[in-house]
Amino acid sequence: MQIYEELVARGLIAQVTDEEEIRNLVNNGKATFYIGFDPTADSLHVGHFMALCLMKRLQMAGNRPIALLGGGTGMVGDPSGRTDMRQMLTKETIEHNISCFKKQMERFIEFGEGKAIMANNADWLLDLNYVELLRDIGAHFSVNRMLAAECYKNRMEKGLSFLEFNYMIMQSYDFYRLYQDYGCNMQFGGDDQWSNMLGGTELIRRKLGKDAYAMTIRLLLNSEGKKMGKTASGAVWLDPNKTSPYEFYQYWRNVDDADVAGCLRMLTFLPLEQIDEMDKWEGARLNEAKEILAHELTTLVHGEEEANKAREASKAVFSGGSSENMPTAALSDDDFENDEIGLLNLLTTTGLTASRNEARRAVEQGGVSVNGEKISDVKAVFKKSDFSDEFVLRKGKKKFVKVVL
């Protein structure tokens, strides 16, 4: 099976503009393609991870990825899929976030001479002359067509700022510049990017002629990433300081039964034949499939050693075994009053709950235990000496920490 057919079989491709041309370029290793990453935080998250896995697959097949960092577009904010305007970031924050992105991307993609390219659209967007942009680029965009695009329609009722309205033009110009500067002939993006992506393809053909090879592929990246990359407490980050390897492992270990096979196909590099066989598993074997998924993805992001530790910690938590590799929460002297700490404060201090109210509800609903023994008294307190021995605090079925001094 060639790479384009494999992407289809893995359920990644939703729509393309020129399928025969795209198939030919991708299968013959002649695609130079880009995916954009706006630096809205100081870490990539699971949604980005899906895009990076795709880039890795295509690079392994001989194609050339361009990771486009949004140093320019990040100053505007993408309205796609939003019900309100994004918080405006300072230039310093954007530059810091970009430096964090670069380090993480290098774990997945091989950059260098003749290999993948890392570009920053600030290099061309921040120096644009406004009137020249209006004359040279703006003349090719129909306001009526722009307002009909899905990325804008969702915002029209609450109000779409002129700042955000320009985002489509900026992203389209990105593709045009990448085509001119690097021979980029293809762009990939998720469902919510389709209108912006078509704008770039159309701009290239209007500026350079209808025979210009500029093609667009719509993937199931952003829609699935938003579904998979969010939890009740926020995003699942690739930075181990924001989401520990154990938490990352547990996230995938606890995906819905119906999503296991899809995650295996889209995110892992396991052979499709093996995944198709695993798709038939039921009961206890389905849990085994989840463990395989969690280990494969944690290995990709954090390395095999951390993945092994996370797997052993997960097994220990559920079987009552060793807590050696469990995530740890450390208490300081300041957390105690008269050498004691209340249960509600303990739950919030260790990060198992976001507030005392949430902690109280968890205790009252019978979801809190210490070393396997349920604690039902919201006024329970623990002495500093209680933490000299093993102290495993648990909330619900999925959240655990070993509390140490």
mmCIF file of all heavy atoms in Angstrom, residues 199-233:
data_model
loop_
_atom_site.group_PDB
_atom_site.id
_atom_site.type_symbol
_atom_site.label_atom_id
_atom_site.label_comp_id
_atom_site.label_asym_id
_atom_site.label_seq_id
_atom_site.Cartn_x
_atom_site.Cartn_y
_atom_site.Cartn_z
ATOM 1 N N GLY A 199 -8.816 29.507 -0.065
ATOM 2 C CA GLY A 199 -8.414 30.865 -0.412
ATOM 3 C C GLY A 199 -6.977 30.917 -0.890
ATOM 4 O O GLY A 199 -6.649 31.616 -1.863
ATOM 5 N N GLY A 200 -6.088 30.164 -0.255
ATOM 6 C CA GLY A 200 -4.687 30.137 -0.653
ATOM 7 C C GLY A 200 -4.490 29.482 -2.003
ATOM 8 O O GLY A 200 -3.715 29.968 -2.845
ATOM 9 N N THR A 201 -5.183 28.376 -2.228
ATOM 10 C CA THR A 201 -5.085 27.678 -3.516
ATOM 11 C C THR A 201 -5.570 28.575 -4.646
ATOM 12 O O THR A 201 -4.935 28.678 -5.702
ATOM 13 C CB THR A 201 -5.912 26.385 -3.478
ATOM 14 O OG1 THR A 201 -5.414 25.553 -2.440
ATOM 15 C CG2 THR A 201 -5.843 25.642 -4.800
ATOM 16 N N GLU A 202 -6.699 29.251 -4.408
ATOM 17 C CA GLU A 202 -7.260 30.134 -5.427
ATOM 18 C C GLU A 202 -6.348 31.332 -5.679
ATOM 19 O O GLU A 202 -6.180 31.762 -6.832
ATOM 20 C CB GLU A 202 -8.648 30.601 -4.973
ATOM 21 C CG GLU A 202 -9.380 31.476 -5.972
ATOM 22 C CD GLU A 202 -9.735 30.746 -7.266
ATOM 23 O OE1 GLU A 202 -9.748 29.498 -7.272
ATOM 24 O OE2 GLU A 202 -9.996 31.442 -8.272
ATOM 25 N N LEU A 203 -5.735 31.877 -4.633
ATOM 26 C CA LEU A 203 -4.841 33.022 -4.802
ATOM 27 C C LEU A 203 -3.655 32.662 -5.686
ATOM 28 O O LEU A 203 -3.276 33.430 -6.586
ATOM 29 C CB LEU A 203 -4.351 33.506 -3.434
ATOM 30 C CG LEU A 203 -3.324 34.641 -3.449
ATOM 31 C CD1 LEU A 203 -3.927 35.899 -4.085
ATOM 32 C CD2 LEU A 203 -2.825 34.940 -2.040
ATOM 33 N N ILE A 204 -3.063 31.502 -5.461
ATOM 34 C CA ILE A 204 -1.913 31.077 -6.265
ATOM 35 C C ILE A 204 -2.304 30.945 -7.729
ATOM 36 O O ILE A 204 -1.586 31.390 -8.638
ATOM 37 C CB ILE A 204 -1.349 29.748 -5.724
ATOM 38 C CG1 ILE A 204 -0.673 29.989 -4.371
ATOM 39 C CG2 ILE A 204 -0.367 29.115 -6.710
ATOM 40 C CD1 ILE A 204 -0.254 28.734 -3.660
ATOM 41 N N ARG A 205 -3.474 30.361 -7.973
ATOM 42 C CA ARG A 205 -3.887 30.158 -9.371
ATOM 43 C C ARG A 205 -4.249 31.469 -10.055
ATOM 44 O O ARG A 205 -4.030 31.635 -11.253
ATOM 45 C CB ARG A 205 -5.044 29.163 -9.409
ATOM 46 C CG ARG A 205 -4.590 27.767 -9.011
ATOM 47 C CD ARG A 205 -5.702 26.748 -8.983
ATOM 48 N NE ARG A 205 -5.153 25.429 -8.655
ATOM 49 C CZ ARG A 205 -5.887 24.342 -8.461
ATOM 50 N NH1 ARG A 205 -7.201 24.407 -8.569
ATOM 51 N NH2 ARG A 205 -5.315 23.191 -8.165
ATOM 52 N N ARG A 206 -4.812 32.398 -9.284
ATOM 53 C CA ARG A 206 -5.130 33.703 -9.872
ATOM 54 C C ARG A 206 -3.864 34.504 -10.171
ATOM 55 O O ARG A 206 -3.779 35.188 -11.181
ATOM 56 C CB ARG A 206 -6.023 34.506 -8.916
ATOM 57 C CG ARG A 206 -7.489 34.058 -8.900
ATOM 58 C CD ARG A 206 -8.274 34.815 -7.840
ATOM 59 N NE ARG A 206 -9.682 34.499 -7.901
ATOM 60 C CZ ARG A 206 -10.589 35.183 -8.596
ATOM 61 N NH1 ARG A 206 -10.187 36.231 -9.300
ATOM 62 N NH2 ARG A 206 -11.852 34.836 -8.599
ATOM 63 N N LYS A 207 -2.896 34.414 -9.256
ATOM 64 C CA LYS A 207 -1.671 35.194 -9.423
ATOM 65 C C LYS A 207 -0.711 34.577 -10.436
ATOM 66 O O LYS A 207 -0.023 35.293 -11.164
ATOM 67 C CB LYS A 207 -0.951 35.317 -8.076
ATOM 68 C CG LYS A 207 -1.671 36.161 -7.046
ATOM 69 C CD LYS A 207 -1.432 37.646 -7.262
ATOM 70 C CE LYS A 207 0.018 38.012 -6.974
ATOM 71 N NZ LYS A 207 0.265 39.446 -7.258
ATOM 72 N N LEU A 208 -0.659 33.238 -10.468
ATOM 73 C CA LEU A 208 0.374 32.557 -11.259
ATOM 74 C C LEU A 208 -0.166 31.740 -12.415
ATOM 75 O O LEU A 208 0.601 31.102 -13.134
ATOM 76 C CB LEU A 208 1.195 31.650 -10.336
ATOM 77 C CG LEU A 208 1.844 32.350 -9.135
ATOM 78 C CD1 LEU A 208 2.566 31.340 -8.258
ATOM 79 C CD2 LEU A 208 2.822 33.423 -9.612
ATOM 80 N N GLY A 209 -1.472 31.725 -12.576
ATOM 81 C CA GLY A 209 -2.049 30.976 -13.682
ATOM 82 C C GLY A 209 -2.738 29.713 -13.218
ATOM 83 O O GLY A 209 -2.352 29.109 -12.211
ATOM 84 N N LYS A 210 -3.747 29.290 -13.950
ATOM 85 C CA LYS A 210 -4.571 28.153 -13.530
ATOM 86 C C LYS A 210 -3.821 26.837 -13.508
ATOM 87 O O LYS A 210 -4.280 25.861 -12.903
ATOM 88 C CB LYS A 210 -5.789 28.027 -14.434
ATOM 89 C CG LYS A 210 -5.466 27.722 -15.897
ATOM 90 C CD LYS A 210 -6.734 27.626 -16.728
ATOM 91 C CE LYS A 210 -6.402 27.314 -18.183
ATOM 92 N NZ LYS A 210 -7.640 27.198 -19.005
ATOM 93 N N ASP A 211 -2.666 26.770 -14.161
ATOM 94 C CA ASP A 211 -1.899 25.519 -14.186
ATOM 95 C C ASP A 211 -0.927 25.399 -13.010
ATOM 96 O O ASP A 211 -0.189 24.415 -12.912
ATOM 97 C CB ASP A 211 -1.116 25.410 -15.502
ATOM 98 C CG ASP A 211 -2.040 25.282 -16.708
ATOM 99 O OD1 ASP A 211 -3.132 24.700 -16.536
ATOM 100 O OD2 ASP A 211 -1.674 25.782 -17.785
ATOM 101 N N ALA A 212 -0.904 26.400 -12.156
ATOM 102 C CA ALA A 212 -0.014 26.334 -10.992
ATOM 103 C C ALA A 212 -0.445 25.183 -10.097
ATOM 104 O O ALA A 212 -1.624 25.038 -9.761
ATOM 105 C CB ALA A 212 -0.061 27.652 -10.219
ATOM 106 N N TYR A 213 0.498 24.332 -9.733
ATOM 107 C CA TYR A 213 0.197 23.156 -8.923
ATOM 108 C C TYR A 213 0.125 23.530 -7.450
ATOM 109 O O TYR A 213 1.086 23.408 -6.714
ATOM 110 C CB TYR A 213 1.255 22.070 -9.148
ATOM 111 C CG TYR A 213 0.980 21.220 -10.364
ATOM 112 C CD1 TYR A 213 1.548 21.530 -11.589
ATOM 113 C CD2 TYR A 213 0.147 20.111 -10.279
ATOM 114 C CE1 TYR A 213 1.299 20.762 -12.716
ATOM 115 C CE2 TYR A 213 -0.117 19.342 -11.389
ATOM 116 C CZ TYR A 213 0.457 19.676 -12.620
ATOM 117 O OH TYR A 213 0.194 18.908 -13.723
ATOM 118 N N ALA A 214 -1.028 23.988 -7.052
ATOM 119 C CA ALA A 214 -1.256 24.316 -5.643
ATOM 120 C C ALA A 214 -2.500 23.578 -5.199
ATOM 121 O O ALA A 214 -3.585 23.823 -5.715
ATOM 122 C CB ALA A 214 -1.436 25.819 -5.478
ATOM 123 N N MET A 215 -2.336 22.659 -4.269
ATOM 124 C CA MET A 215 -3.436 21.769 -3.914
ATOM 125 C C MET A 215 -3.697 21.758 -2.420
ATOM 126 O O MET A 215 -2.832 22.090 -1.615
ATOM 127 C CB MET A 215 -3.137 20.361 -4.420
ATOM 128 C CG MET A 215 -3.257 20.273 -5.930
ATOM 129 S SD MET A 215 -2.320 18.925 -6.651
ATOM 130 C CE MET A 215 -0.684 19.595 -6.598
ATOM 131 N N THR A 216 -4.892 21.374 -2.085
ATOM 132 C CA THR A 216 -5.359 21.439 -0.708
ATOM 133 C C THR A 216 -5.942 20.102 -0.284
ATOM 134 O O THR A 216 -6.685 19.477 -1.042
ATOM 135 C CB THR A 216 -6.441 22.537 -0.574
ATOM 136 O OG1 THR A 216 -5.845 23.796 -0.857
ATOM 137 C CG2 THR A 216 -7.034 22.566 0.804
ATOM 138 N N ILE A 217 -5.593 19.681 0.919
ATOM 139 C CA ILE A 217 -6.142 18.449 1.486
ATOM 140 C C ILE A 217 -6.775 18.773 2.834
ATOM 141 O O ILE A 217 -6.127 19.321 3.716
ATOM 142 C CB ILE A 217 -5.051 17.374 1.682
ATOM 143 C CG1 ILE A 217 -4.418 17.006 0.339
ATOM 144 C CG2 ILE A 217 -5.638 16.126 2.341
ATOM 145 C CD1 ILE A 217 -3.380 15.920 0.430
ATOM 146 N N ARG A 218 -8.044 18.425 2.974
ATOM 147 C CA ARG A 218 -8.732 18.611 4.261
ATOM 148 C C ARG A 218 -8.671 17.302 5.034
ATOM 149 O O ARG A 218 -9.044 16.246 4.532
ATOM 150 C CB ARG A 218 -10.192 19.011 4.032
ATOM 151 C CG ARG A 218 -10.972 19.223 5.324
ATOM 152 C CD ARG A 218 -12.295 19.916 5.051
ATOM 153 N NE ARG A 218 -13.224 19.056 4.354
ATOM 154 C CZ ARG A 218 -14.139 18.297 4.948
ATOM 155 N NH1 ARG A 218 -14.212 18.268 6.258
ATOM 156 N NH2 ARG A 218 -14.966 17.569 4.233
ATOM 157 N N LEU A 219 -8.170 17.405 6.235
ATOM 158 C CA LEU A 219 -7.996 16.220 7.073
ATOM 159 C C LEU A 219 -8.987 16.223 8.227
ATOM 160 O O LEU A 219 -9.670 17.210 8.483
ATOM 161 C CB LEU A 219 -6.575 16.200 7.639
ATOM 162 C CG LEU A 219 -5.468 16.198 6.583
ATOM 163 C CD1 LEU A 219 -4.167 16.586 7.213
ATOM 164 C CD2 LEU A 219 -5.361 14.842 5.946
ATOM 165 N N LEU A 220 -9.013 15.134 8.947
ATOM 166 C CA LEU A 220 -9.828 15.051 10.151
ATOM 167 C C LEU A 220 -8.971 15.381 11.363
ATOM 168 O O LEU A 220 -9.145 14.827 12.432
ATOM 169 C CB LEU A 220 -10.422 13.643 10.286
ATOM 170 C CG LEU A 220 -11.379 13.271 9.166
ATOM 171 C CD1 LEU A 220 -11.858 11.843 9.335
ATOM 172 C CD2 LEU A 220 -12.559 14.221 9.118
ATOM 173 N N LEU A 221 -8.012 16.306 11.187
ATOM 174 C CA LEU A 221 -7.069 16.598 12.258
ATOM 175 C C LEU A 221 -7.662 17.485 13.344
ATOM 176 O O LEU A 221 -7.701 17.112 14.497
ATOM 177 C CB LEU A 221 -5.818 17.281 11.692
ATOM 178 C CG LEU A 221 -4.927 16.397 10.840
ATOM 179 C CD1 LEU A 221 -3.775 17.208 10.302
ATOM 180 C CD2 LEU A 221 -4.391 15.242 11.655
ATOM 181 N N ASN A 222 -8.144 18.658 12.964
ATOM 182 C CA ASN A 222 -8.581 19.586 13.998
ATOM 183 C C ASN A 222 -9.833 19.118 14.712
ATOM 184 O O ASN A 222 -9.959 19.227 15.916
ATOM 185 C CB ASN A 222 -8.808 20.981 13.394
ATOM 186 C CG ASN A 222 -7.500 21.690 13.111
ATOM 187 O OD1 ASN A 222 -6.437 21.151 13.361
ATOM 188 N ND2 ASN A 222 -7.582 22.888 12.589
ATOM 189 N N SER A 223 -10.796 18.582 13.944
ATOM 190 C CA SER A 223 -12.021 18.127 14.589
ATOM 191 C C SER A 223 -11.727 17.004 15.561
ATOM 192 O O SER A 223 -12.198 16.981 16.694
ATOM 193 C CB SER A 223 -13.033 17.674 13.539
ATOM 194 O OG SER A 223 -12.490 16.637 12.737
ATOM 195 N N GLU A 224 -10.916 16.039 15.146
ATOM 196 C CA GLU A 224 -10.578 14.938 16.039
ATOM 197 C C GLU A 224 -9.659 15.412 17.160
ATOM 198 O O GLU A 224 -9.759 14.945 18.294
ATOM 199 C CB GLU A 224 -9.887 13.812 15.257
ATOM 200 C CG GLU A 224 -10.817 13.070 14.314
ATOM 201 C CD GLU A 224 -11.925 12.366 15.059
ATOM 202 O OE1 GLU A 224 -11.674 11.807 16.144
ATOM 203 O OE2 GLU A 224 -13.059 12.377 14.572
ATOM 204 N N GLY A 225 -8.763 16.352 16.833
ATOM 205 C CA GLY A 225 -7.861 16.852 17.862
ATOM 206 C C GLY A 225 -8.604 17.558 18.976
ATOM 207 O O GLY A 225 -8.286 17.400 20.148
ATOM 208 N N LYS A 226 -9.619 18.340 18.607
ATOM 209 C CA LYS A 226 -10.398 19.027 19.631
ATOM 210 C C LYS A 226 -11.161 18.023 20.487
ATOM 211 O O LYS A 226 -11.319 18.195 21.682
ATOM 212 C CB LYS A 226 -11.355 20.009 18.966
ATOM 213 C CG LYS A 226 -10.634 21.237 18.423
ATOM 214 C CD LYS A 226 -11.558 22.095 17.609
ATOM 215 C CE LYS A 226 -10.802 23.314 17.066
ATOM 216 N NZ LYS A 226 -11.607 24.095 16.156
ATOM 217 N N LYS A 227 -11.633 16.968 19.834
ATOM 218 C CA LYS A 227 -12.370 15.940 20.567
ATOM 219 C C LYS A 227 -11.453 15.195 21.517
ATOM 220 O O LYS A 227 -11.778 14.935 22.666
ATOM 221 C CB LYS A 227 -12.996 14.970 19.562
ATOM 222 C CG LYS A 227 -13.667 13.752 20.185
ATOM 223 C CD LYS A 227 -14.155 12.850 19.069
ATOM 224 C CE LYS A 227 -14.672 11.539 19.600
ATOM 225 N NZ LYS A 227 -15.048 10.615 18.527
ATOM 226 N N MET A 228 -10.268 14.837 21.035
ATOM 227 C CA MET A 228 -9.359 14.025 21.831
ATOM 228 C C MET A 228 -8.483 14.852 22.768
ATOM 229 O O MET A 228 -8.057 14.358 23.802
ATOM 230 C CB MET A 228 -8.431 13.227 20.911
ATOM 231 C CG MET A 228 -9.142 12.231 20.041
ATOM 232 S SD MET A 228 -7.969 11.437 18.943
ATOM 233 C CE MET A 228 -9.066 10.449 17.929
ATOM 234 N N GLY A 229 -8.208 16.088 22.375
ATOM 235 C CA GLY A 229 -7.200 16.849 23.100
ATOM 236 C C GLY A 229 -7.706 17.676 24.253
ATOM 237 O O GLY A 229 -6.969 18.448 24.837
ATOM 238 N N LYS A 230 -8.976 17.526 24.601
ATOM 239 C CA LYS A 230 -9.521 18.306 25.705
ATOM 240 C C LYS A 230 -10.035 17.386 26.806
ATOM 241 O O LYS A 230 -10.611 16.337 26.549
ATOM 242 C CB LYS A 230 -10.681 19.188 25.219
ATOM 243 C CG LYS A 230 -10.273 20.199 24.164
ATOM 244 C CD LYS A 230 -9.431 21.300 24.751
ATOM 245 C CE LYS A 230 -9.074 22.347 23.696
ATOM 246 N NZ LYS A 230 -8.230 23.390 24.250
ATOM 247 N N THR A 231 -9.804 17.786 28.025
ATOM 248 C CA THR A 231 -10.375 17.088 29.164
ATOM 249 C C THR A 231 -11.092 18.115 30.019
ATOM 250 O O THR A 231 -11.110 19.290 29.704
ATOM 251 C CB THR A 231 -9.272 16.421 30.016
ATOM 252 O OG1 THR A 231 -8.456 17.455 30.569
ATOM 253 C CG2 THR A 231 -8.426 15.483 29.195
ATOM 254 N N ALA A 232 -11.685 17.666 31.097
ATOM 255 C CA ALA A 232 -12.423 18.587 31.960
ATOM 256 C C ALA A 232 -11.521 19.683 32.521
ATOM 257 O O ALA A 232 -11.969 20.779 32.811
ATOM 258 C CB ALA A 232 -13.079 17.816 33.096
ATOM 259 N N SER A 233 -10.244 19.383 32.648
ATOM 260 C CA SER A 233 -9.338 20.350 33.257
ATOM 261 C C SER A 233 -8.511 21.125 32.237
ATOM 262 O O SER A 233 -7.658 21.913 32.604
ATOM 263 C CB SER A 233 -8.384 19.615 34.217
ATOM 264 O OG SER A 233 -7.639 18.644 33.517
#
